[in-house]
Amino acid sequence: MNKTINQIAAVFIAQASLALMPALSNAGNWVADYSFSADASYDDNFFMSQQEQDTWIYSVKPEASLIYVSPVARSELEAKVAVKRYSEFGQFDSEDPAFDWKNSYKTQRSTWLIDFGYSENSQRDAAEQDVGVFDSNTIVKTIYVDPGVDIEITERDQLGISLHYNQRDYDANDFSDNDNQSIGLNWQHRLNEVLTTTAMVSASNYSADRTAISSNETDYLQTTIGFIYKYSEAMTIDGSAGYFETDAEAKFFAGPILLITQSERNGALLNLGVNYDYEKDNFSFSLSRGLYPSSFGEVEQRDSVGLGYEHQFSGRSSSGINISWYNTDALSDERESLSVSPFYRYHLTEKLQLNTSYIFRRYDRQTILNAVDSNRVNVGLRYSF
């Protein structure tokens, strides 16, 4: 399946590129945007361990974007670099660049899309959502390519074809270099002005290699049916339910001995989302059960719940809260995390914004008797040119 996805991807990317190239030569407008952020944070349990160790974290992040817009095309290039320094743990100091290039081109009955991206980050920045390793200063380099096309079949029916390629490479051998590629079909049928039905099927291949330790490959299939319901002008509800199957082969190198295991899994997929946006209030809720390709070479099953709320007090200030919960069921262990983050934002001037937040985190590894907590306070300024 890996070879088949690669062949389809090559043809699809070529077609998307050919569609976009003439569009960018048409008359359009160019818009440039720049910003600069500076933050200071205090974390009382930097490694999320039983023996708490605190640190101050300082970061600066310049960002720039260049946007091209025409009646039929849009191209947006974003670039940024995050420079981070730690008062107690200098080995984690980093300079993390990232860029994203997103493109779209519209014809009478279709929209072509192709996105590219590259980033460098400390692996510990994703530890909560990934494998829960907070004491590693490994840097991960990520490349992604996402081409796709949405085709209007009839006035009520739309077919989407999407490809996805994601590659993660680590500068140390404590994680598995991996790549994940998939092809998906998504169909939407509009029943009336407020209700749309959906159906999706995707086939994916995930391969991971950890030098002299392990080599894993997983094929997995996902299929769902669902709906999008526009309850009111302010509220939209969407949901889906489905089924997944995985077929995995894992190779473990124990000196001169090679151990090979094969496993199959299946289960349910679930997604429910609510979005409410009206005047001064914005509310979002999400509930899901899905699959996640981890940095340890496994395709894991994950449950998650997210809640976000923001209230606009005036044109200059707003406040809210973000809550997220994850429970990951992996072959190696089970992990649970909780994050609660109230925040406050205030525009000191038209271009200068003050951002403050408090983050409470709890992480529970089933292999350790007690869960661990941390508290982080953050104050930052963002200036938009």
Side-chain angles (χ1 to χ4, degrees), residues 29 40 55 64 76 93 99 125 133 148 150 160 163 172-173 198 217 219 238 274-275 296 321 333 339 342 349 377 384:
N29 297 320
T55 187
E76 181 174 0
D93 292 351
F99 83 87
D125 291 342
V133 179
D150 294 324
L163 298 175
N173 201 37
T198 65
E217 184 164 353
D219 292 325
D238 64 89
V274 179
N275 286 280
F296 277 169
I321 188 170
D333 63 357
S339 175
T349 67
V377 179
S384 300

Side-chain angles (χ1 to χ4, degrees), residues 118-172:
Y118 172 83
S119 65
E120 295 180 17
N121 295 97
S122 171
Q123 174 61 17
R124 76 172 311 279
D125 291 342
E128 273 183 89
Q129 293 80 28
D130 195 12
V131 292
V133 179
F134 292 88
D135 57 357
S136 171
N137 62 350
T138 296
I139 299 298
V140 53
K141 298 179 181 180
T142 304
I143 298 173
Y144 75 85
V145 183
D146 291 338
V149 61
D150 294 324
I151 305 170
E152 184 181 343
I153 305 298
T154 70
E155 292 184 356
R156 293 178 176 268
D157 294 277
Q158 180 175 287
L159 176 67
I161 306 171
S162 63
L163 298 175
H164 172 72
Y165 177 79
N166 187 90
Q167 176 181 302
R168 294 184 291 187
D169 294 322
Y170 305 84
D171 67 355

Side-chain angles (χ1 to χ4, degrees), residues 35-46:
S35 67
F36 183 86
S37 302
D39 298 83
S41 305
Y42 174 77
D43 194 325
D44 68 357
N45 191 359
F46 182 66

Side-chain angles (χ1 to χ4, degrees), residues 114-270:
I114 186 165
D115 300 342
F116 306 89
Y118 172 83
S119 65
E120 295 180 17
N121 295 97
S122 171
Q123 174 61 17
R124 76 172 311 279
D125 291 342
E128 273 183 89
Q129 293 80 28
D130 195 12
V131 292
V133 179
F134 292 88
D135 57 357
S136 171
N137 62 350
T138 296
I139 299 298
V140 53
K141 298 179 181 180
T142 304
I143 298 173
Y144 75 85
V145 183
D146 291 338
V149 61
D150 294 324
I151 305 170
E152 184 181 343
I153 305 298
T154 70
E155 292 184 356
R156 293 178 176 268
D157 294 277
Q158 180 175 287
L159 176 67
I161 306 171
S162 63
L163 298 175
H164 172 72
Y165 177 79
N166 187 90
Q167 176 181 302
R168 294 184 291 187
D169 294 322
Y170 305 84
D171 67 355
N173 201 37
D174 48 354
F175 300 97
S176 299
D177 293 341
N178 60 82
D179 62 72
N180 190 58
Q181 47 198 316
S182 63
I183 179 171
L185 296 176
N186 180 68
W187 170 78
Q188 292 188 0
H189 175 71
R190 182 168 56 85
L191 294 174
N192 50 48
E193 295 300 321
V194 299
L195 183 61
T196 299
T197 58
T198 65
M200 181 277 294
V201 60
S202 68
S204 306
N205 173 267
Y206 170 71
S207 59
D209 182 71
R210 194 171 174 187
T211 305
I213 296 177
S214 64
S215 176
N216 300 343
E217 184 164 353
T218 304
D219 292 325
Y220 56 104
L221 179 70
Q222 303 176 82
T223 180
T224 65
I225 56 173
F227 68 92
I228 302 171
Y229 177 50
K230 191 171 181 59
Y231 179 79
S232 66
E233 288 297 322
M235 180 180 290
T236 301
I237 304 171
D238 64 89
S240 64
Y243 175 80
F244 75 83
E245 290 182 353
T246 69
D247 183 5
E249 180 180 86
K251 299 178 181 179
F252 301 94
F253 306 99
I257 301 175
L258 174 63
L259 302 176
I260 300 177
T261 64
Q262 294 182 331
S263 61
E264 296 181 357
R265 301 179 68 184
N266 58 69
L269 298 170
L270 176 67

Side-chain angles (χ1 to χ4, degrees), residues 31-35 63-67 76-80 100:
V31 179
D33 188 29
Y34 311 93
S35 67
E63 300 179 58
S65 65
L66 182 63
I67 305 172
E76 181 174 0
L77 178 64
E78 296 182 345
K80 59 187 175 183
D100 297 280

Side-chain angles (χ1 to χ4, degrees), residues 342-356:
F343 62 87
Y344 176 74
R345 300 171 180 147
Y346 184 77
H347 281 272
L348 299 170
T349 67
E350 183 180 352
K351 296 184 176 182
L352 183 62
Q353 179 177 280
L354 171 69
N355 299 307
T356 64

